[in-house]
Amino acid sequence: MRGLMMDAPLLITTILRHAERNHPDQEIVSVTSDHERHRYRYREFADRARQVANALDQLGAGSEARIATIAWNDFRHLELYYGVSGSGRVLHTINPRLFEEQLVYIINHAEDEWIFVDPAFIAMLEKVEDQCPTVKGYVVMTSAEAMPQTSLKNVQCYETLVSAQSTQYNWPELDERTASCLCYTSGTTGNPKGVLYDHRSSVLHAYGMALPDTTSLSATDAVLAVVPMFHVNAWGFPYASLLVGAKMVFPGPKLSVPETLTDLINDEQVTVAGAVPTVWLGLLDYIRKTGRSLEPLNRTCIGGSACPVSMMEEFRDEHGVTVLHAWGMTEMSPLGVLNRPKPAQIGLAGEELREQIAKQGRAVPGVEIKITDDDNNELPWDGEAYGALKVRGYWVCADYYRLDGTAGSHEDGWFETGDVATIDPHGFLKITDRTKDVIKSGGEWISSIELENIAVAHPQVQEAAVVGHIHTKWQERPLLVVVPNPGEQPDQGELLSWFDGKVAKWWIPNGVVFVEEIPHTATGKISKLTLRNQLEDYRFPDDDAA
Ligand code: AMP
């Protein structure tokens, strides 16, 4: 027997409608290249999203057109999130840090029709314009007064185009499976792959994200999305914040300027923020030096790479901020697990607490997780067994865009994440490595993430990475790469003895290399591939045969 409930499709425009009707006075505050601090309210935002939809009609954008953005986090980008997807088109958010060839590849692969671009990235597009035949024109995301000179053909100014449109628009009643957004994820090898979100997955993800044991978002929060809107839809904050009616704060081009972030947190009374660990590394360093306060901040969502325990402790002990350690990926919209205690974890202290918070967390409702061995047998949730991490759920990618059948182990309906993990009896997942970054010493696995976590807690270390490096006797041994704190010259032997008693003796790295900078990928993760290539000629001191 079928139920008799309404068939209301899960559409991004339902979030917008709810937000406009119930929270018209809520604020959206942005730093942009043409505004030091732009602010308006949900009601104006909703009008502008409808104007964007009308503008796309005027530009003649097709009903399923891919509309690209190369832009920082700000109110205009948010208008495109809703105006493009709401009108049935697909918003393709492009990472401006991509290499030129990758940029050309994804514009052509997505067959983008129009590109909305921040003035800062015009030069990048001028170089590749001739190689992108599907693009009909460009819209520069600024005001008429700030419009830069450009050699791009068929260029419009965002403010001139959008403000001339009607604020009335009848959002179409789309099928909830209609594609809404396209985000390419660049692996270390091969071309980037497109993950195509739909309205249903985005709305369900927003609900999952707002739950009390996830980010616990509310209408009384002010959310600072530092994580870029080109990186997995800023982790879903643009949808979840509007869903609950929270104030939104965007850092624009200043997303890695600690002073601006601190100003925004204090001036705009930001209670929740989200960013990768490297951003927080810079911010905490700035706070230590200036003695400024993060008083309004209540919690920070940290993911993208493992959050060092020392960082979580500093946030908690010095600033009263709860770190929400989370794991996910582009293919998961991105939320997979998040670390919030269950009754059994309340009251943990000392080393037990440190071990607990180092974990990435437990499955968000809507996502299932499991670990398997090489023969695809499920491994126990005992906190000991390591295995390939597989996931499925409402907002997990079933296939990549125009690359049929490459989204992992689909024969049994699970997506293979490429991560290796343990899961404890309480359901808390701990990532030990990317499959390809696992260090295999004499056939035994060593977790690089665990070693990095210990290294960054050393008082003289600013950033650390551990990679597997060739060793004649053991095939591979851990090599520690360290960026010292400014003005510090740590002693190699002393650094290595820092690991004594913290891990098994055979896990301790065999060598240390000091560098000024550790290479990062376009999404701010440590690029272990680049690092391994850079260290190709290194030989361990104890590798006599080398
Ligand atoms: P991306 O699709 O670029 O967001 O990258 C996803 C990958 O980042 C995951 O498969 C993990 O390898 C890594 N990752 C994300 N969050 C974490 C975390 N909290 N700890 C460790 N690795 C993480």
Side-chain angles (χ1 to χ4, degrees):
M1 187 186 284
R2 285 178 67 82
L4 282 170
M5 305 308 283
M6 280 189 189
D7 189 12
L10 298 169
L11 297 177
I12 286 169
T13 42
T14 58
I15 297 180
L16 181 62
R17 268 201 202 105
H18 176 84
E20 183 182 16
R21 186 86 178 128
N22 294 281
H23 309 278
D25 295 325
Q26 186 55 282
E27 271 191 306
I28 297 172
V29 180
S30 318
V31 176
T32 71
S33 59
D34 60 333
H35 291 278
E36 228 165 84
R37 203 71 69 89
H38 174 278
R39 56 180 74 236
Y40 65 4
R41 296 181 190 277
Y42 275 20
R43 77 159 66 76
E44 292 158 270
F45 164 72
D47 276 345
R48 296 261 303 186
R50 287 186 287 266
Q51 286 179 302
V52 164
N54 281 317
L56 292 168
D57 287 354
Q58 186 193 309
L59 293 175
S63 62
E64 295 185 352
R66 266 73 71 207
I67 306 295
T69 56
I70 310 186
W72 296 123
N73 295 10
D74 66 23
F75 69 100
R76 294 188 183 109
H77 208 168
L78 189 71
E79 291 164 5
L80 289 161
Y81 261 59
Y82 284 84
V84 172
S85 308
S87 64
R89 289 141 179 144
V90 182
L91 182 82
H92 172 202
T93 51
I94 299 181
N95 186 339
R97 297 174 186 139
L98 291 177
F99 296 123
E100 202 170 297
E101 312 86 77
Q102 290 179 321
L103 178 70
V104 171
Y105 172 83
I106 67 170
I107 292 174
N108 288 326
H109 189 264
E111 299 179 323
D112 291 327
E113 267 190 33
W114 287 85
I115 300 184
F116 285 67
V117 56
D118 264 359
F121 306 122
I122 286 181
M124 209 169 95
L125 281 177
E126 284 173 341
K127 278 203 233 155
V128 302
E129 183 182 22
D130 293 342
Q131 300 169 60
C132 305
T134 60
V135 179
K136 293 182 180 156
Y138 303 85
V139 181
V140 181
M141 295 165 73
T142 191
S143 51
E145 308 79 62
M147 211 32 206
Q149 287 290 329
T150 170
S151 63
L152 287 174
K153 292 175 212 81
N154 198 9
V155 178
Q156 312 245 359
C157 163
Y158 187 94
E159 286 305 325
T160 312
L161 174 73
V162 170
S163 60
Q165 307 297 324
S166 161
T167 56
Q168 303 298 310
Y169 190 85
N170 286 328
W171 296 115
E173 270 286 293
L174 302 166
D175 178 330
E176 64 183 19
R177 295 279 182 181
T178 306
S180 56
C181 265
L182 178 60
C183 186
Y184 281 76
T185 170
S186 30
T188 38
T189 51
N191 282 321
K193 289 182 273 192
V195 179
L196 190 60
Y197 309 109
D198 58 34
H199 283 254
R200 174 188 155 86
S201 67
S202 304
V203 172
L204 287 172
H205 183 268
Y207 278 89
M209 174 107 176
L211 288 173
D213 267 355
T214 315
T215 57
S216 182
L217 281 188
S218 118
T220 56
D221 277 315
V223 179
L224 175 66
V226 188
V227 49
M229 289 169 85
F230 54 75
H231 186 202
V232 216
N233 298 336
W235 295 348
F237 278 117
Y239 302 123
S241 306
L242 249 81
L243 180 79
V244 301
K247 175 174 172 177
M248 299 197 71
V249 183
F250 292 114
K254 304 276 183 71
L255 80 170
S256 43
V257 182
E259 186 182 359
T260 308
L261 298 181
T262 312
D263 289 348
L264 287 171
I265 289 169
N266 286 293
D267 301 350
E268 305 300 337
Q269 294 292 298
V270 167
T271 54
V272 184
V276 294
T278 35
V279 168
W280 296 123
L281 214 59
L283 182 108
L284 286 174
D285 187 46
Y286 167 80
I287 296 289
R288 260 178 257 128
K289 285 185 185 133
T290 57
R292 292 189 65 184
S293 153
L294 295 175
E295 221 278 312
L297 199 59
N298 175 269
R299 53 207 187 278
T300 59
C301 195
I302 306 188
S305 1
C307 179
V309 171
S310 52
M311 181 180 285
M312 295 190 243
E313 290 179 331
E314 185 169 354
F315 266 120
R316 183 192 64 203
D317 300 340
E318 306 297 324
H319 304 287
V321 174
T322 304
V323 169
L324 308 175
H325 192 193
W327 165 88
M329 54 197 312
T330 309
E331 290 87 338
M332 300 181 72
S333 309
L335 202 51
V337 308
L338 191 137
N339 196 335
R340 288 274 209 172
K342 298 202 290 190
Q345 285 75 45
I346 302 284
L348 288 181
E351 199 44 44
E352 275 187 334
L353 178 60
R354 269 192 284 280
E355 274 177 26
Q356 173 59 24
I357 61 177
K359 294 172 186 170
Q360 278 73 7
R362 53 195 170 87
V364 174
V367 171
E368 283 178 81
I369 56 174
K370 70 171 180 182
I371 45 173
T372 62
D373 65 14
D374 290 346
D375 299 321
N376 204 20
N377 299 311
E378 185 161 358
L379 292 167
W381 289 21
D382 59 6
E384 300 286 329
Y386 290 58
L389 176 60
K390 296 183 180 165
V391 295
R392 66 179 179 193
Y394 299 144
W395 48 80
V396 179
C397 154
D399 232 331
Y400 291 106
Y401 179 56
R402 290 178 47 211
L403 272 180
D404 289 344
T406 49
S409 59
H410 268 114
E411 61 282 7
D412 60 356
W414 290 78
F415 175 79
E416 173 130 23
T417 62
D419 286 325
V420 178
T422 61
I423 306 177
D424 75 15
H426 297 284
F428 286 83
L429 175 104
K430 184 168 177 193
I431 302 282
T432 55
D433 265 307
R434 289 293 291 164
T435 320
K436 52 190 179 308
D437 295 334
V438 161
I439 303 166
K440 263 195 165 171
S441 167
E444 301 274 358
W445 284 6
I446 296 174
S447 163
S448 65
I449 293 185
E450 197 148 337
L451 295 175
E452 286 160 5
N453 226 326
I454 294 168
V456 290
H458 188 282
Q460 291 179 299
V461 173
Q462 187 176 71
E463 196 176 11
V466 175
V467 289
H469 189 75
I470 186 157
H471 190 286
T472 316
K473 182 166 175 200
W474 302 104
Q475 291 91 51
E476 221 177 47
R477 289 292 304 156
L479 171 60
L480 173 64
V481 186
V482 164
V483 181
N485 277 327
E488 304 268 17
Q489 281 183 315
D491 175 72
Q492 291 214 18
E494 200 271 319
L495 258 185
L496 292 176
S497 60
W498 176 252
F499 289 88
D500 283 342
K502 298 187 174 91
V503 285
K505 245 193 155 29
W506 64 275
W507 274 39
I508 299 179
N510 290 39
V512 189
V513 173
F514 294 104
V515 294
E516 277 177 17
E517 206 183 336
I518 285 177
H520 290 92
T521 66
T523 51
K525 298 181 209 300
I526 291 173
S527 176
K528 299 229 171 148
L529 184 73
T530 317
L531 204 52
R532 278 195 294 264
N533 289 339
Q534 285 174 357
L535 295 166
E536 215 171 20
D537 297 333
Y538 176 86
R539 291 291 168 258
F540 282 117
D542 67 341
D543 193 356
D544 302 333

